[in-house]
Amino acid sequence: MSAHSAHRASAAHRQPPAPRLGRRLARFNRAVTNKASIHLAGFVPGLGMVIHVGRRTRNVYRTPVIVFRTKDGFRIALTYGRTSDWVQNALVHGAVRLVARRREYELNEPELVTDPHRQHVPLLLRGVLRLLRVSEFLDFRRAG
């Protein structure tokens, strides 16, 4: 990752435009689509399932995500932006579990990243994420 193509989130940087997927679609997906895709997320390349704990409820939740490997962990596309419940839960708790390609990983040290060039995204999905205006990601390191 070059210094010019991605930057860590900070108060000094302007927020990127919000992803095109709105909160209504997020609620619909949580109620309907996620229930079906949760069964595929751990098996399909490029998809994963984040297992996280609620900030207030302490319930365990499973959320399907678009995920990519990095040299020391994983990068997850924030298709609904940084205000999504699972993102906030991960930032508060500092750790999640990820099921990807039938393997489970303990992840920690979440870090918000703005990457308008979508560097760690396979070329095929780079255009899709560009259309959806997704330029924010959550980077994690593999624990242990």
Side-chain angles (χ1 to χ4, degrees):
M1 175 167 43
S2 75
H4 300 292
S5 60
H7 63 273
R8 304 294 177 201
S10 72
H13 292 80
R14 191 173 63 93
Q15 291 256 1
R20 288 187 193 275
L21 300 176
R23 298 311 311 161
R24 278 190 199 157
L25 184 58
R27 284 190 295 274
F28 174 80
N29 282 342
R30 186 182 315 170
V32 179
T33 313
N34 286 1
K35 293 191 184 340
S37 62
I38 206 94
H39 300 290
L40 298 174
F43 304 102
V44 177
L47 294 181
M49 179 177 50
V50 170
I51 303 168
H52 55 98
V53 178
R55 301 180 303 284
R56 293 179 293 271
T57 64
R58 303 282 188 236
N59 290 337
V60 175
Y61 296 99
R62 289 166 176 73
T63 303
V65 294
I66 299 172
V67 63
F68 312 98
R69 282 188 181 275
T70 61
K71 70 176 188 174
D72 57 354
F74 291 90
R75 174 169 282 190
I76 299 175
L78 302 184
T79 53
Y80 297 105
R82 63 174 63 190
T83 60
S84 297
D85 285 333
W86 82 265
V87 174
Q88 294 302 308
N89 292 340
L91 291 171
V92 166
H93 291 292
V96 298
R97 282 185 302 181
L98 173 70
V99 178
R101 293 196 150 189
R102 297 186 173 128
R103 295 192 63 195
E104 191 167 311
Y105 303 92
E106 295 288 331
L107 305 178
N108 58 22
E109 299 181 42
E111 189 169 6
L112 284 168
V113 176
T114 300
D115 182 5
H117 301 292
R118 299 156 191 91
Q119 282 188 327
H120 291 285
V121 177
L123 193 55
L124 219 52
L125 287 175
R126 207 172 284 170
V128 173
L129 292 181
R130 184 179 299 118
L131 281 173
L132 297 175
R133 289 195 314 220
V134 175
S135 61
E136 288 188 306
F137 301 86
L138 197 55
D139 280 1
F140 286 96
R141 293 187 188 277
R142 286 180 63 179

